[in-house]
Amino acid sequence: MSKLIPSAAKLLSGATVSKAAAPAVVASKTNYSTKSESTFEIKPYKLHKLDKGPATSATLTSEDALQLYEKLAVLRRIETASGNLYKEKIIRGFCHLYSGQEAVAVGMRAALRDVDSVITAYRCHGWTHLMGVSVLGVLSELTGRRTGCSRGKGGSMHLYGRNFYGGNGIVGAQVPLGAGLAFAHKYRGDGGVAFALYGDGAANQGQLFEAYNMAKLWDLPCVFVCENNGYGMGTSVDRSSASTEYFSRGDYVPGIWVDGMDVIATREATRYAIDYCSSGKGPLVMEMETYRYSGHSMSDPGTSYRTRDEVQEVRQTRDPITSFKEKIIASELVTPDQLKEIDTKVRKEVDEATKQAKAEAEVGPEELAGDIYYNNLENVIRGIHPAAPLQHVEVVPRN
């Protein structure tokens, strides 16, 4: 075991594509905001087996506001591009969009430290970018091209980056893996916290409760995050779950309900969770109540189990980008001109990456057995026939 965990760490420490640079704050030459910071009230959290929860107010600087807005805009634009590429039949197979849920990932990422790790389900495009993979690395992976973060061999559901363990296609299976990541953090004593994200559709999986049990038994630094977007595929939470208070479903594991449409709330809740878990108190369950605008996947129109009016109402009253935009403009942290500059910059970046992702080549058949193992001991890999083995090759050197 002592050899296994460092080896796993080495395996994922080498990025397959260039890292995304931290979002640069766009400086508008006209109509600059003169207010440096502002305090915002947060919708009250619901607590389970906790005497005290996250802060119910938070301060944002002008720089914070611009950076959060840019990240929200990039994620929305990536998913718009992904949807268009799927309709053009350039993205094949499954494709699950994150539009509407951006505040969960952006707020959480703003609170994460370099030592923390994340694992999620198949709605993972935005998370992959936030964890360091460039926009091109994400879109190239979706289109199956060599500049993708998995060399184009993983596709929409299997994207990875440093301290980001996917992108997992089996419903709920990433949760016990997340508990394993938390075990690794505790075993190595690095102070890290593991975040295992899953949807309300996976919340009734038996393996989740097994993971809860082991995490609490060993007091692992693991945050189980339920992204409750209201529907598991085409089934509403009320039809699938006897209890829809997912934050309390850990029973003996404390929990928090968070407004997942508010990027400030998700940031503050994640800060609280890191402090809680890294202090040796064990695991935590967080329910992020959010909403997805698209269907479950691109093959689902998303209108047979909910009305168009319902979707439109959420867009008009709870959209995570629009509501955040209104807050930071009203508080005079930013100006409309500054946000327009960001929108233009983001549109250009994603459009250029989309164009390049469509033009890149696919990997050759010689890479079928590429990078299957780290420090591979036998060069021959079994193929589809015993008499036709493949040669293992190292395509991307590991650090």
Side-chain angles (χ1 to χ4, degrees), residues 84 99 101 206 226 303 362:
N84 292 335
S99 301
Q101 300 182 214
C226 177
T303 54
E362 298 177 356

Side-chain angles (χ1 to χ4, degrees), residues 82 88 93 165 181 228 252 263 276 279 282 299 367 380 399:
S82 301
E88 294 174 34
Y165 295 79
L181 292 173
N228 176 11
Y252 40 79
V263 69
Y276 181 94
S279 63
S299 60
E367 282 198 35
V380 176
N399 295 331

Side-chain angles (χ1 to χ4, degrees), residues 48-50 206-220 222 224 246-256 276 281-285:
H48 170 68
K49 290 188 179 297
L50 289 169
Q207 57 191 323
L208 264 75
F209 298 94
E210 294 179 51
Y212 290 165
N213 180 61
M214 287 189 289
K216 185 58 181 175
L217 191 64
W218 299 332
D219 279 337
L220 301 181
C222 188
F224 299 101
Y246 296 104
F247 68 99
S248 68
R249 298 275 291 271
D251 187 13
Y252 40 79
V253 179
I256 309 170
Y276 181 94
K281 296 177 182 177
L284 197 64
V285 175

